[in-house]
Amino acid sequence: MDKRTEISSLLNRVLRGRGNALFLTPPGYQEGKSLLLSSPVYVKAVRGLKDIREIERRRTENPENFGALLLDYEFGFRLEEKISRLSFTDSDITGVYYEYQPEKSEVIDPATITLYPKKRKQYRVFNQVLSDSPDSYGEKVERLKEYIARGDTYQINLTTEAYFTLDGDLTAFIIDLLKKQSAQYITIINTGAHLTISVSPELFFRVRGDKILTAPMKGTIKRGKNLQEDEIRKEQLGNSAKDRAENLMIVDLLRNDLGKICEFGSVNADRLFEIETYETVHQMVSYISGKLRAGTGLSDIITALFPCGSITGAPKFRSMEIINELERRKRGLYTGSIFFFTPEETTANVAIRTAELFADSDTPKRYRGVLPLGSGVVWDSTPDGEYAEILKKGEFLTRRHNDFRLFETCYFDGEKIPLLDLHLNRLKGSAKFHLFLFDEAAIKEALRENFTPGQELIMKLLLGKWGELEVQTRPYEKIYRHLRVLLSDNGVNSESQEFYFKTTLRDFYDEEFSCALHAGYDEVLFLNEHGRITEGSWTNFFYELGGQLYTPEVSEGLLDGVLRQKLLAEGTLRERNISPEDLAQCARVFMGNSVRGLMPVAEVRSGKNRLFYNKN
């Protein structure tokens, strides 16, 4: 396996001291930097704009220093006189700034980090409780719809909070979050009082020189079960008039905000309605830029833009009044922003997917956590639908991450891998779907390093989320016999994405194959929920009927095998679905893959010894 630094070592350094922070942009993203910051030389509590101006002054005087600013959502009330007294007093702290000297600021190359520790540590999340019941949240949704009907607002981001308890290794918990939630603007910062973990995909703004860029997110759709369905879902979102209208509403709000600080005529919606993909949803994103007026500083930008319109609603300040009335609590950092300052630029995220963990003073390795969750309420929203959305968003806390890698099993003939291009193309598609980094040059090099010229090998290539590579090899041994195949009693669901991709989550396949071997068979054959044949545990299924070779359609719930792809492309194979009862009509039956080719089947039987096919 390629040698990388375990991310747990970086996380442990964050945990060692107050103000230590990790700003992380995973490999694969073109923009952004990753830095490990420690031992801040200056810490400033933020209560109002005068404190932001003081931070601005320090950054002007010490441009070589790095900085981090955590700014609560409630700071936005300081920026509009008519709502400035809604939720706190003048003494309330609404943010904190940390400043770091260059010698305490370490640039991190994410390509040198692995998310897969040699020894996996344990944790558990339990006692998850929402601050709102279905009824109380539903009442707020209905009240919001009344405001929308009156024209007070067009949409509102309504939030609640999930409280939970974490026992065990904190770094293991964070690593699982990073695997489950892809994001470009990740921050892990130790404030001393608590640990903030922000796995945010949304850019609030970025300033480089006199250019400012903002990228609001609004509009989502659920992912598809495979690559084909996923592309259809993306197209549906991109063409959705409703989602485009909601996105454009926020674009107009932010264009107006940028117009307050940018040169006349310089504000442009550069890219509208682009689709970005995350683990469970596709998200609609638009990009707006402008040229800052001469003399525009951090305090001017925050006054004009904060908080981001995508997490309030439109119009912004009236929406904030309504949010304050209904939520009746402080949001804190959630839907505020985390700012990251380098000598070259300022980057601020929208602090969503942001949890805070507090150490339990009575129990070692126990933490009390809070994770705010939100849903966007519009005119046609329903109470049940909105509550279901926040429950769905909170599932990743209690759902243990199914730690997996993608893999390909290839045949090396002593000189080359004959079907390498097909293997790489399939792996690239799987990586795209699962948001894994795919570096074809690095993969080819890793394979070449494990070639043994003149010796036939079976090569297994494993790919991790951040491009981690491992190659395993074993000698190739021919199989000369006809296979005995057992029909499994446990079917597959063609709507489950797990059956369309080659991953290390193979417990189901391995257990069924083991049972077949124990019963004296060579392979097991699965049926889907419709009672039709799909595939084997390590092979695709093929059959000959009327002189033509057939295989089931991928949509039946099976892996699009490399041998299968090759034969279809050559025109020697066609797709046609089949039930076990029809096997008796087949001239021949095969199980096959790219390593073994087509292997003749001697018989297919059920667990109750019913014979469905016999070559004789």
Side-chain angles (χ1 to χ4, degrees):
M1 190 169 184
D2 51 0
K3 296 180 180 179
R4 301 190 182 204
T5 301
E6 291 189 15
I7 196 170
S8 56
S9 66
L10 302 179
L11 297 175
N12 283 325
R13 290 169 66 181
V14 172
L15 297 177
R16 287 190 194 124
R18 179 190 177 207
N20 291 357
L22 177 63
F23 290 88
L24 191 60
T25 300
Y29 290 102
Q30 295 181 352
E31 298 287 346
K33 295 181 178 179
S34 295
L35 284 173
L36 180 65
L37 307 176
S38 58
S39 304
V41 294
Y42 176 77
V43 179
K44 174 73 174 175
V46 176
R47 292 180 173 86
L49 270 176
K50 67 177 183 179
D51 299 310
I52 299 296
R53 294 190 183 101
E54 173 62 18
I55 294 168
E56 190 176 335
R57 182 190 65 79
R58 283 194 61 89
R59 295 224 50 80
T60 302
E61 294 176 355
N62 304 281
E64 74 284 359
N65 284 354
F66 294 79
L69 170 63
L70 283 68
L71 201 58
D72 290 354
Y73 166 83
E74 279 73 27
F75 186 83
F77 289 100
R78 302 283 193 199
L79 306 175
E80 179 68 20
E81 184 176 354
K82 67 179 180 179
I83 61 172
S84 62
R85 303 294 179 182
L86 283 180
S87 63
F88 50 80
T89 66
D90 289 340
S91 63
D92 282 351
I93 295 174
T94 54
V96 61
Y97 171 72
Y98 301 92
E99 190 167 291
Y100 310 84
Q101 293 178 328
E103 55 267 29
K104 296 293 184 179
S105 306
E106 182 179 344
V107 177
I108 304 296
D109 180 3
T112 65
I113 300 171
T114 178
L115 293 177
Y116 300 86
K118 293 178 181 177
K119 184 177 180 181
R120 183 179 176 86
K121 296 182 179 179
Q122 301 300 313
Y123 71 89
R124 68 185 182 112
V125 175
F126 59 103
N127 290 344
Q128 184 178 356
V129 178
L130 287 178
S131 60
D132 277 287
S133 67
D135 288 342
S136 65
Y137 200 77
E139 289 172 4
K140 294 174 184 178
V141 171
E142 293 292 2
R143 186 78 179 106
L144 282 177
K145 292 178 68 174
E146 292 176 10
Y147 280 116
I148 293 171
R150 291 209 309 251
D152 287 65
T153 184
Y154 302 104
Q155 58 179 315
I156 289 281
N157 184 48
L158 181 65
T159 73
T160 186
E161 290 180 323
Y163 303 102
F164 62 95
T165 303
L166 168 68
D167 271 359
D169 189 81
L170 185 54
T171 62
F173 170 73
I174 297 172
I175 290 169
D176 274 0
L177 286 184
L178 298 182
K179 289 178 181 176
K180 288 186 285 189
Q181 301 287 330
S182 292
Q184 186 169 353
Y185 308 102
I186 298 168
T187 304
I188 298 136
I189 186 164
N190 181 359
T191 70
H194 61 271
L195 184 73
T196 294
I197 306 167
S198 181
V199 190
S200 174
E202 185 168 3
L203 174 68
F204 181 20
F205 69 82
R206 177 183 290 118
V207 174
R208 289 177 179 161
D210 61 358
K211 300 295 191 298
I212 186 168
L213 172 72
T214 185
M217 287 182 162
K218 187 63 68 174
T220 61
I221 194 170
K222 184 180 177 182
R223 296 282 307 274
K225 65 177 179 287
N226 54 33
L227 285 167
Q228 293 75 21
E229 186 175 288
D230 212 37
E231 289 301 316
I232 293 172
R233 294 282 177 88
K234 287 174 68 174
E235 186 175 348
Q236 288 173 341
L237 177 59
N239 294 330
S240 167
K242 175 179 178 293
D243 288 293
R244 280 175 170 250
E246 291 180 12
N247 188 279
L248 190 59
M249 193 182 305
I250 303 303
V251 167
D252 288 341
L253 188 157
L254 286 171
R255 287 176 65 179
N256 181 67
D257 287 349
L258 284 176
K260 301 172 185 176
I261 52 175
C262 289
E263 291 184 358
F264 180 77
S266 72
V267 177
N268 293 300
D270 303 315
R271 291 138 58 193
L272 286 173
F273 315 135
E274 293 201 349
I275 308 301
E276 294 183 359
T277 298
Y278 297 92
E279 275 73 9
T280 58
V281 298
H282 298 296
Q283 185 87 50
M284 185 177 286
V285 186
S286 293
Y287 292 83
I288 312 144
S289 67
K291 182 179 181 181
L292 294 170
R293 294 178 193 147
T296 300
L298 179 64
S299 60
D300 302 308
I301 296 171
I302 289 176
T303 299
L305 301 183
F306 191 85
C308 184
S310 65
I311 47 74
T312 57
K316 181 190 290 186
F317 291 115
R318 178 59 182 138
S319 296
M320 291 175 69
E321 285 183 303
I322 296 170
I323 288 169
N324 188 76
E325 173 193 331
L326 294 177
E327 293 186 0
R328 296 186 178 277
R329 60 173 173 78
K330 292 182 180 180
R331 287 186 174 185
L333 182 60
Y334 177 67
T335 65
S337 185
I338 300 175
F339 296 69
F340 171 35
F341 303 94
T342 74
E344 298 81 26
E345 66 183 36
T346 298
T347 301
N349 75 4
V350 178
I352 55 177
R353 298 185 189 174
T354 298
E356 293 178 326
L357 292 169
F358 301 80
D360 189 319
S361 58
D362 297 326
T363 308
K365 291 193 174 183
R366 173 167 288 182
Y367 304 87
R368 307 292 181 183
V370 57
L371 175 73
L373 303 165
S375 65
V377 179
V378 293
W379 167 244
D380 59 354
S381 296
T382 64
D384 289 345
E386 297 305 309
Y387 199 74
E389 181 177 340
I390 62 171
L391 289 177
K392 185 70 176 177
K393 289 179 177 178
E395 278 182 358
F396 76 93
L397 274 178
T398 52
R399 185 186 72 245
R400 188 61 186 266
H401 175 62
N402 290 324
D403 203 2
F404 72 94
R405 289 181 284 174
L406 305 175
F407 77 95
E408 289 288 325
T409 306
C410 313
Y411 168 64
F412 175 69
D413 65 8
E415 295 181 3
K416 63 185 182 304
I417 298 174
L419 300 177
L420 180 59
D421 288 345
L422 288 176
H423 281 290
L424 292 180
N425 188 59
R426 182 173 65 177
L427 183 60
K428 184 177 182 179
S430 296
K432 177 183 178 182
F433 184 91
H434 291 286
L435 309 181
F436 279 42
L437 179 64
F438 178 86
D439 184 337
E440 184 169 328
I443 290 170
K444 287 182 175 179
E445 179 60 27
L447 288 169
R448 280 194 295 268
E449 289 175 354
N450 287 272
F451 286 173
T452 304
Q455 182 180 355
E456 292 180 283
L457 298 173
I458 296 176
M459 307 189 73
K460 184 175 183 179
L461 169 72
L462 296 111
L463 176 67
K465 187 171 182 67
W466 285 7
E468 299 95 331
L469 294 172
E470 181 180 357
V471 178
Q472 301 170 355
T473 65
R474 68 180 191 272
Y476 175 82
E477 296 178 357
K478 290 182 171 61
I479 297 177
Y480 295 100
R481 65 185 179 278
H482 285 49
L483 304 185
R484 297 184 69 235
V485 178
L486 176 66
L487 201 62
S488 174
D489 292 330
N490 297 312
V492 304
N493 186 341
S494 62
E495 294 301 313
S496 297
Q497 67 174 232
E498 62 188 286
F499 300 111
Y500 293 95
F501 300 96
K502 200 162 187 175
T503 78
T504 54
L505 297 176
R506 292 189 53 83
D507 287 351
F508 172 73
Y509 294 106
D510 292 343
E511 289 169 6
E512 291 294 304
F513 179 57
S514 177
C515 290
L517 287 180
H518 185 72
Y521 292 87
D522 302 296
E523 174 62 305
V524 62
L525 189 60
F526 298 106
L527 306 180
N528 64 17
E529 71 273 26
H530 306 296
R532 295 192 291 266
I533 292 172
T534 59
E535 62 181 347
S537 66
W538 53 280
T539 56
N540 278 128
F541 174 76
F542 306 86
Y543 64 97
E544 184 182 317
L545 191 64
Q548 174 64 51
L549 190 64
Y550 294 101
T551 191
E553 297 174 329
V554 167
S555 59
E556 291 291 276
L558 55 98
L559 181 72
D560 191 8
V562 165
L563 175 64
R564 182 184 185 280
Q565 292 180 39
K566 174 180 179 292
L567 296 177
L568 283 169
E570 291 173 347
T572 58
L573 178 68
R574 295 180 183 175
E575 292 180 318
R576 179 174 170 178
N577 301 327
I578 188 171
S579 299
E581 290 76 14
D582 299 322
L583 290 179
Q585 304 173 25
C586 297
R588 291 186 295 175
V589 170
F590 303 91
M591 307 301 291
N593 59 32
S594 64
V595 173
R596 299 293 180 184
L598 290 175
M599 295 174 287
V601 171
E603 64 178 32
V604 178
R605 290 182 182 270
S606 71
K608 297 179 180 179
N609 206 33
R610 179 182 173 184
L611 182 65
F612 285 94
Y613 169 80
N614 189 301
K615 73 179 182 67
N616 297 321

